[in-house]
Amino acid sequence: MEPGEQLKTSHIAEHFGYNAKYLSHLFSKVAGVPLKRFILQQKIEAASSLLTDTNMTINEIALQLGYNDSQHFMKSFKQMTNLTPTGFRNASANRLLFYK
């Protein structure tokens, strides 16, 4: 998989030779979280690192994580963290500035 390519349950299922619904059910049963949500959590975790450790723009981060546009990325990020990507970046920078 290339950076920027969208990761989907159907791609994973196809790679391992499973039906997408079966794989989702199996993953949810074993991991306790639906596969789609797990993928989203991993993307948001990667985004958090990119927001705090790089000067990449929101659009560049969105594209690197496989989002077609930054608006969809920002909506997903806010749903998972209750902060916008810019708000997260600013909060992270403030924590570093005032860390003693």
Side-chain angles (χ1 to χ4, degrees), residues 1 3 6-9 14 28-29 32 37 39 45 51-52 54 65 70-71 76 84 93-94:
M1 193 162 181
Q6 269 193 313
L7 179 62
K8 295 182 177 182
T9 302
E14 185 179 314
S28 185
K29 187 176 179 182
R37 181 153 182 94
I39 293 169
E45 193 173 302
L51 287 165
T52 57
T54 74
L65 295 175
S70 58
Q71 294 299 320
S76 295
T84 64
N94 285 338

Side-chain angles (χ1 to χ4, degrees), residues 12-55:
I12 297 169
E14 185 179 314
H15 178 79
F16 290 105
Y18 288 104
N19 173 286
K21 286 187 179 193
Y22 174 75
L23 179 64
S24 293
H25 174 74
L26 183 63
F27 188 91
S28 185
K29 187 176 179 182
V30 172
V33 62
L35 180 55
K36 193 172 183 176
R37 181 153 182 94
F38 178 79
I39 293 169
L40 180 58
Q41 288 171 336
Q42 296 308 303
K43 284 184 178 186
I44 298 305
E45 193 173 302
S48 298
S49 294
L50 292 170
L51 287 165
T52 57
D53 300 338
T54 74
N55 289 326

